[in-house]
Short mmCIF file of all heavy atoms in Angstrom, two decimals:
data_model
loop_
_atom_site.label_atom_id
_atom_site.label_comp_id
_atom_site.label_asym_id
_atom_site.label_seq_id
_atom_site.Cartn_x
_atom_site.Cartn_y
_atom_site.Cartn_z
N PRO A 1067 -16.93 3.58 -83.88
CA PRO A 1067 -15.51 3.19 -83.78
C PRO A 1067 -15.17 1.94 -84.58
O PRO A 1067 -14.06 1.85 -85.14
CB PRO A 1067 -15.31 2.96 -82.28
CG PRO A 1067 -16.40 3.74 -81.62
CD PRO A 1067 -17.56 3.69 -82.56
N GLU A 1068 -16.09 0.98 -84.65
CA GLU A 1068 -15.81 -0.25 -85.38
C GLU A 1068 -15.65 0.03 -86.87
O GLU A 1068 -14.77 -0.54 -87.53
CB GLU A 1068 -16.93 -1.27 -85.15
CG GLU A 1068 -16.99 -1.80 -83.72
CD GLU A 1068 -18.08 -2.84 -83.54
OE1 GLU A 1068 -18.79 -3.15 -84.53
OE2 GLU A 1068 -18.22 -3.35 -82.41
N LEU A 1069 -16.49 0.92 -87.41
CA LEU A 1069 -16.36 1.28 -88.81
C LEU A 1069 -15.03 1.98 -89.07
O LEU A 1069 -14.34 1.69 -90.06
CB LEU A 1069 -17.52 2.19 -89.23
CG LEU A 1069 -17.42 2.80 -90.64
CD1 LEU A 1069 -17.36 1.71 -91.71
CD2 LEU A 1069 -18.59 3.75 -90.90
N LEU A 1070 -14.65 2.90 -88.20
CA LEU A 1070 -13.37 3.59 -88.37
C LEU A 1070 -12.22 2.60 -88.40
O LEU A 1070 -11.30 2.71 -89.23
CB LEU A 1070 -13.16 4.60 -87.23
CG LEU A 1070 -14.06 5.84 -87.23
CD1 LEU A 1070 -13.81 6.67 -85.99
CD2 LEU A 1070 -13.83 6.69 -88.48
N ALA A 1071 -12.27 1.60 -87.51
CA ALA A 1071 -11.21 0.60 -87.47
C ALA A 1071 -11.14 -0.18 -88.78
O ALA A 1071 -10.05 -0.44 -89.31
CB ALA A 1071 -11.43 -0.35 -86.30
N ARG A 1072 -12.32 -0.52 -89.33
CA ARG A 1072 -12.34 -1.26 -90.61
C ARG A 1072 -11.76 -0.41 -91.73
O ARG A 1072 -11.14 -0.94 -92.67
CB ARG A 1072 -13.76 -1.69 -90.95
CG ARG A 1072 -14.31 -2.79 -90.05
CD ARG A 1072 -15.51 -3.47 -90.70
NE ARG A 1072 -16.61 -2.57 -90.97
CZ ARG A 1072 -17.57 -2.26 -90.09
NH1 ARG A 1072 -17.56 -2.79 -88.88
NH2 ARG A 1072 -18.55 -1.43 -90.43
N LEU A 1073 -11.97 0.90 -91.66
CA LEU A 1073 -11.47 1.80 -92.70
C LEU A 1073 -9.99 2.13 -92.50
O LEU A 1073 -9.37 2.73 -93.38
CB LEU A 1073 -12.29 3.09 -92.72
CG LEU A 1073 -13.76 2.95 -93.15
CD1 LEU A 1073 -14.49 4.29 -92.99
CD2 LEU A 1073 -13.87 2.47 -94.60
N GLY A 1074 -9.43 1.78 -91.35
CA GLY A 1074 -8.02 2.05 -91.09
C GLY A 1074 -7.76 3.39 -90.44
O GLY A 1074 -6.61 3.86 -90.43
N VAL A 1075 -8.80 4.02 -89.86
CA VAL A 1075 -8.66 5.33 -89.23
C VAL A 1075 -8.54 5.14 -87.73
O VAL A 1075 -9.34 4.45 -87.11
CB VAL A 1075 -9.87 6.23 -89.55
CG1 VAL A 1075 -9.72 7.59 -88.87
CG2 VAL A 1075 -10.03 6.40 -91.06
N ASP A 1076 -7.53 5.78 -87.13
CA ASP A 1076 -7.30 5.70 -85.69
C ASP A 1076 -7.94 6.92 -85.02
O ASP A 1076 -7.44 8.04 -85.16
CB ASP A 1076 -5.80 5.68 -85.40
CG ASP A 1076 -5.48 5.57 -83.92
OD1 ASP A 1076 -6.41 5.62 -83.09
OD2 ASP A 1076 -4.28 5.43 -83.58
N PRO A 1077 -9.05 6.74 -84.27
CA PRO A 1077 -9.72 7.89 -83.66
C PRO A 1077 -8.91 8.53 -82.54
O PRO A 1077 -9.23 9.63 -82.09
CB PRO A 1077 -11.02 7.28 -83.12
CG PRO A 1077 -10.72 5.84 -82.91
CD PRO A 1077 -9.74 5.46 -83.99
N GLY A 1078 -7.84 7.87 -82.10
CA GLY A 1078 -7.01 8.43 -81.05
C GLY A 1078 -5.96 9.40 -81.55
O GLY A 1078 -5.26 10.03 -80.74
N ARG A 1079 -5.84 9.55 -82.86
CA ARG A 1079 -4.87 10.47 -83.44
C ARG A 1079 -5.59 11.61 -84.15
O ARG A 1079 -6.70 11.43 -84.67
CB ARG A 1079 -3.98 9.74 -84.46
CG ARG A 1079 -3.08 8.68 -83.87
CD ARG A 1079 -2.34 7.92 -84.96
NE ARG A 1079 -1.48 8.77 -85.79
CZ ARG A 1079 -0.73 8.30 -86.79
NH1 ARG A 1079 -0.73 7.00 -87.08
NH2 ARG A 1079 0.04 9.12 -87.48
N PRO A 1080 -4.98 12.80 -84.19
CA PRO A 1080 -5.58 13.87 -84.99
C PRO A 1080 -5.63 13.47 -86.46
O PRO A 1080 -4.73 12.77 -86.95
CB PRO A 1080 -4.65 15.07 -84.75
CG PRO A 1080 -3.37 14.48 -84.29
CD PRO A 1080 -3.71 13.21 -83.57
N SER A 1081 -6.68 13.90 -87.14
CA SER A 1081 -6.81 13.51 -88.54
C SER A 1081 -7.30 14.68 -89.40
O SER A 1081 -8.07 15.52 -88.95
CB SER A 1081 -7.77 12.32 -88.69
OG SER A 1081 -9.07 12.67 -88.28
N ILE A 1082 -6.79 14.69 -90.62
CA ILE A 1082 -7.23 15.63 -91.65
C ILE A 1082 -7.90 14.81 -92.74
O ILE A 1082 -7.33 13.84 -93.24
CB ILE A 1082 -6.04 16.41 -92.23
CG1 ILE A 1082 -5.42 17.30 -91.15
CG2 ILE A 1082 -6.45 17.23 -93.45
CD1 ILE A 1082 -4.08 17.90 -91.52
N VAL A 1083 -9.13 15.18 -93.10
CA VAL A 1083 -9.92 14.40 -94.05
C VAL A 1083 -10.17 15.20 -95.31
O VAL A 1083 -10.54 16.38 -95.26
CB VAL A 1083 -11.27 13.97 -93.42
CG1 VAL A 1083 -12.17 13.30 -94.47
CG2 VAL A 1083 -11.04 13.03 -92.24
N PHE A 1084 -9.96 14.54 -96.45
CA PHE A 1084 -10.29 15.09 -97.77
C PHE A 1084 -11.36 14.20 -98.39
O PHE A 1084 -11.24 12.97 -98.36
CB PHE A 1084 -9.06 15.13 -98.68
CG PHE A 1084 -9.36 15.44 -100.12
CD1 PHE A 1084 -9.39 16.74 -100.58
CD2 PHE A 1084 -9.63 14.41 -101.03
CE1 PHE A 1084 -9.68 17.03 -101.92
CE2 PHE A 1084 -9.92 14.69 -102.36
CZ PHE A 1084 -9.94 16.00 -102.80
N VAL A 1085 -12.38 14.81 -98.96
CA VAL A 1085 -13.42 14.06 -99.70
C VAL A 1085 -13.61 14.75 -101.04
O VAL A 1085 -13.91 15.95 -101.09
CB VAL A 1085 -14.76 14.03 -98.95
CG1 VAL A 1085 -15.82 13.30 -99.77
CG2 VAL A 1085 -14.61 13.38 -97.58
N GLY A 1086 -13.42 14.02 -102.13
CA GLY A 1086 -13.63 14.64 -103.44
C GLY A 1086 -13.17 13.77 -104.58
O GLY A 1086 -12.49 12.76 -104.39
N ARG A 1087 -13.56 14.19 -105.76
CA ARG A 1087 -13.12 13.51 -106.97
C ARG A 1087 -11.66 13.87 -107.26
O ARG A 1087 -11.17 14.92 -106.84
CB ARG A 1087 -14.00 13.93 -108.16
CG ARG A 1087 -15.42 13.41 -108.07
CD ARG A 1087 -16.29 13.93 -109.22
NE ARG A 1087 -16.52 15.36 -109.11
CZ ARG A 1087 -16.11 16.27 -109.97
NH1 ARG A 1087 -15.40 15.91 -111.03
NH2 ARG A 1087 -16.37 17.55 -109.79
N ILE A 1088 -11.00 12.98 -107.97
CA ILE A 1088 -9.61 13.23 -108.36
C ILE A 1088 -9.64 14.01 -109.67
O ILE A 1088 -9.67 13.44 -110.76
CB ILE A 1088 -8.83 11.91 -108.49
CG1 ILE A 1088 -8.84 11.16 -107.15
CG2 ILE A 1088 -7.39 12.18 -108.91
CD1 ILE A 1088 -8.22 9.78 -107.22
N THR A 1089 -9.65 15.32 -109.52
CA THR A 1089 -9.73 16.21 -110.67
C THR A 1089 -8.89 17.45 -110.37
O THR A 1089 -8.65 17.76 -109.20
CB THR A 1089 -11.19 16.59 -110.98
OG1 THR A 1089 -11.24 17.48 -112.09
CG2 THR A 1089 -11.86 17.24 -109.79
N ARG A 1090 -8.44 18.13 -111.40
CA ARG A 1090 -7.53 19.27 -111.20
C ARG A 1090 -8.13 20.31 -110.27
O ARG A 1090 -7.42 20.91 -109.46
CB ARG A 1090 -7.21 19.91 -112.55
CG ARG A 1090 -6.40 19.03 -113.50
CD ARG A 1090 -4.99 18.81 -113.02
NE ARG A 1090 -4.28 17.85 -113.88
CZ ARG A 1090 -3.19 17.21 -113.52
NH1 ARG A 1090 -2.67 17.41 -112.32
NH2 ARG A 1090 -2.61 16.36 -114.34
N GLN A 1091 -9.42 20.57 -110.39
CA GLN A 1091 -10.00 21.67 -109.63
C GLN A 1091 -9.98 21.42 -108.13
O GLN A 1091 -10.00 22.37 -107.34
CB GLN A 1091 -11.43 21.94 -110.09
CG GLN A 1091 -12.47 20.93 -109.62
CD GLN A 1091 -13.84 21.23 -110.18
OE1 GLN A 1091 -14.08 21.10 -111.37
NE2 GLN A 1091 -14.76 21.64 -109.32
N LYS A 1092 -9.91 20.16 -107.70
CA LYS A 1092 -10.00 19.85 -106.27
C LYS A 1092 -8.66 20.05 -105.54
O LYS A 1092 -8.62 20.01 -104.32
CB LYS A 1092 -10.50 18.43 -106.05
CG LYS A 1092 -11.91 18.19 -106.59
CD LYS A 1092 -12.95 19.06 -105.92
CE LYS A 1092 -14.34 18.81 -106.46
NZ LYS A 1092 -15.35 19.69 -105.83
N GLY A 1093 -7.58 20.24 -106.28
CA GLY A 1093 -6.31 20.59 -105.66
C GLY A 1093 -5.65 19.50 -104.85
O GLY A 1093 -4.79 19.78 -104.00
N LEU A 1094 -6.00 18.24 -105.10
CA LEU A 1094 -5.46 17.15 -104.30
C LEU A 1094 -3.93 17.06 -104.35
O LEU A 1094 -3.28 16.83 -103.31
CB LEU A 1094 -6.10 15.83 -104.71
CG LEU A 1094 -5.71 14.58 -103.93
CD1 LEU A 1094 -5.87 14.77 -102.44
CD2 LEU A 1094 -6.52 13.37 -104.42
N PRO A 1095 -3.28 17.21 -105.51
CA PRO A 1095 -1.80 17.15 -105.51
C PRO A 1095 -1.16 18.19 -104.59
O PRO A 1095 -0.12 17.91 -103.98
CB PRO A 1095 -1.45 17.40 -106.98
CG PRO A 1095 -2.63 16.88 -107.74
CD PRO A 1095 -3.81 17.28 -106.90
N TYR A 1096 -1.76 19.38 -104.46
CA TYR A 1096 -1.21 20.39 -103.55
C TYR A 1096 -1.33 19.91 -102.10
O TYR A 1096 -0.41 20.09 -101.29
CB TYR A 1096 -1.93 21.73 -103.72
CG TYR A 1096 -1.79 22.31 -105.10
CD1 TYR A 1096 -2.87 22.37 -105.97
CD2 TYR A 1096 -0.56 22.81 -105.56
CE1 TYR A 1096 -2.75 22.90 -107.24
CE2 TYR A 1096 -0.41 23.33 -106.83
CZ TYR A 1096 -1.52 23.37 -107.67
OH TYR A 1096 -1.40 23.89 -108.94
N LEU A 1097 -2.46 19.29 -101.76
CA LEU A 1097 -2.63 18.76 -100.41
C LEU A 1097 -1.60 17.68 -100.11
O LEU A 1097 -1.02 17.66 -99.02
CB LEU A 1097 -4.04 18.20 -100.24
CG LEU A 1097 -4.30 17.41 -98.95
CD1 LEU A 1097 -4.11 18.31 -97.73
CD2 LEU A 1097 -5.69 16.79 -98.97
N LEU A 1098 -1.37 16.80 -101.07
CA LEU A 1098 -0.42 15.71 -100.84
C LEU A 1098 0.99 16.24 -100.65
O LEU A 1098 1.77 15.68 -99.86
CB LEU A 1098 -0.49 14.72 -102.00
CG LEU A 1098 -1.83 13.98 -102.12
CD1 LEU A 1098 -1.88 13.16 -103.41
CD2 LEU A 1098 -2.07 13.08 -100.91
N ARG A 1099 1.33 17.32 -101.32
CA ARG A 1099 2.65 17.93 -101.10
C ARG A 1099 2.69 18.63 -99.75
O ARG A 1099 3.71 18.60 -99.05
CB ARG A 1099 2.98 18.89 -102.25
CG ARG A 1099 3.19 18.17 -103.59
CD ARG A 1099 3.59 19.10 -104.71
NE ARG A 1099 3.88 18.35 -105.93
CZ ARG A 1099 2.99 18.12 -106.90
NH1 ARG A 1099 1.76 18.62 -106.81
NH2 ARG A 1099 3.33 17.41 -107.96
N ALA A 1100 1.57 19.26 -99.37
CA ALA A 1100 1.52 19.91 -98.05
C ALA A 1100 1.62 18.88 -96.93
O ALA A 1100 2.17 19.16 -95.86
CB ALA A 1100 0.22 20.71 -97.92
N ALA A 1101 1.09 17.67 -97.17
CA ALA A 1101 1.10 16.62 -96.14
C ALA A 1101 2.52 16.22 -95.74
O ALA A 1101 2.75 15.74 -94.63
CB ALA A 1101 0.33 15.41 -96.63
N GLU A 1102 3.47 16.43 -96.64
CA GLU A 1102 4.86 16.12 -96.31
C GLU A 1102 5.37 17.00 -95.16
O GLU A 1102 6.33 16.63 -94.47
CB GLU A 1102 5.74 16.33 -97.55
CG GLU A 1102 5.40 15.43 -98.73
CD GLU A 1102 6.19 15.81 -99.97
OE1 GLU A 1102 7.02 16.74 -99.89
OE2 GLU A 1102 5.97 15.18 -101.04
N LEU A 1103 4.72 18.14 -94.94
CA LEU A 1103 5.17 19.10 -93.94
C LEU A 1103 4.37 19.01 -92.64
O LEU A 1103 4.63 19.77 -91.71
CB LEU A 1103 5.04 20.53 -94.51
CG LEU A 1103 5.73 20.78 -95.86
CD1 LEU A 1103 5.41 22.19 -96.35
CD2 LEU A 1103 7.21 20.55 -95.76
#
């Protein structure tokens, strides 16, 4: 929990995690647009 707090993650809330390089194949811009919804 202490590490999560340092990283700014609240374990009391539901969370969606993405891990990856910022490259076209990883589809990150699509995720960021989906996050608006």
Side-chain angles (χ1 to χ4, degrees):
E1068 292 182 0
L1069 173 60
L1070 290 175
R1072 290 198 300 273
L1073 294 174
V1075 179
D1076 181 354
R1079 294 174 60 179
S1081 63
I1082 295 168
V1083 173
F1084 169 90
V1085 178
R1087 291 176 291 116
I1088 300 174
T1089 179
R1090 294 291 174 198
Q1091 75 183 69
K1092 298 299 180 182
L1094 183 53
Y1096 298 110
L1097 171 62
L1098 295 172
R1099 293 183 175 94
E1102 298 173 2
L1103 306 175

